[in-house]
Amino acid sequence: MNSKIISTLLKMVFPITFNVVFLVTVLSADMHAAAWISCFFVNLSYIVMIMLPYFKPKEKNTEAANYVVYLTTSLGFVVIFIVGFLIMFINPESFGVQTFLIMLVLLMIEAAATLTYMLANKNAADMIAQQSHDSCNMRTIAFDLQSVSTLFTDPEQKKKLNQLADIIRTSPTASRPEVYEYEQEIRNTVADIVNQIKAGKQADYNSMFESIRTALTNRNNKLKLL
């Protein structure tokens, strides 16, 4: 049997059992509004808990943070279930409005805590993805430079190019909007070097190397201050 089907069936065990027991109890006792309100909020809290996997970040680095979200929501569900279960047994006729307010407050606390942790996880996942993207960009720039080093006939220029590629490779991978201008200048100049050398054209490569080095130095220095 498909694992998703098994998972879905397991998730249905609680609501089916709970609601069957509740309805049997209703038929055998004079249940009031408080019990029906409690039943509704217990089911609603359970739905919130099982829907979490569809909204959590997929990155492996956020698994520990996702665990906190599950724990928070599960704890909220357990509290709502216990309170609701007790109210069903207490079952006073005049406790309907109070029950609604109590259960609503508990559900709102659960939802607020869950959404807070989920937002924090989303921000963490976005930061991880951005850092991975930035790291890839810096490695790509270094690779592009080094890939054309064999096409240089001047040993001194080849040496400068390889040194520059090493500096780029060992530069901070994390980026910030404040340094995008420098990074764009580096990318454009590297692209010019690659295109010029592949086309066999003569150019002032030393000046281009210096331009990259200056932009890279400015970028790295500004990142240290941020």
Side-chain angles (χ1 to χ4, degrees), residues 6-16 46 50-51 53-54:
I6 296 175
S7 176
T8 301
L9 291 175
L10 289 174
K11 289 175 181 178
M12 294 301 295
V13 169
F14 171 79
I16 292 174
Y46 185 76
I50 64 174
M51 289 298 291
Y54 299 100

Side-chain angles (χ1 to χ4, degrees), residues 86-131:
L86 292 174
I87 288 175
M88 288 178 195
F89 275 95
I90 295 172
N91 196 30
E93 295 184 22
S94 61
F95 204 49
V97 175
Q98 293 90 330
T99 298
F100 180 82
L101 293 176
I102 291 171
M103 300 301 277
L104 181 62
V105 168
L106 290 175
L107 186 64
M108 290 299 99
I109 292 174
E110 175 191 353
T114 301
L115 290 174
T116 299
Y117 282 120
M118 288 181 71
L119 180 60
N121 287 5
K122 177 65 168 57
N123 292 338
D126 290 344
M127 185 177 298
I128 291 169
Q130 183 62 45
Q131 288 174 347

Side-chain angles (χ1 to χ4, degrees), residues 140-161:
T140 300
I141 292 172
F143 176 79
D144 288 342
L145 266 183
Q146 208 154 26
S147 66
V148 296
S149 63
T150 57
L151 301 179
F152 277 87
T153 55
D154 187 336
E156 187 62 28
Q157 287 184 332
K158 182 182 295 188
K159 180 180 178 182
K160 288 182 180 180
L161 185 145

Side-chain angles (χ1 to χ4, degrees), residues 146-181:
Q146 208 154 26
S147 66
V148 296
S149 63
T150 57
L151 301 179
F152 277 87
T153 55
D154 187 336
E156 187 62 28
Q157 287 184 332
K158 182 182 295 188
K159 180 180 178 182
K160 288 182 180 180
L161 185 145
N162 286 326
Q163 288 176 341
L164 195 55
D166 288 337
I167 295 173
I168 294 174
R169 191 180 296 107
T170 56
S171 292
T173 56
S175 184
R176 294 284 294 273
E178 293 86 347
V179 298
Y180 284 171
E181 180 182 353

Side-chain angles (χ1 to χ4, degrees), residues 20-40:
V20 167
V21 171
F22 176 78
L23 290 174
V24 170
T25 305
V26 167
L27 294 175
S28 62
D30 185 17
M31 302 291 282
H32 299 287
W36 288 101
I37 292 171
S38 298
C39 178
F40 169 77

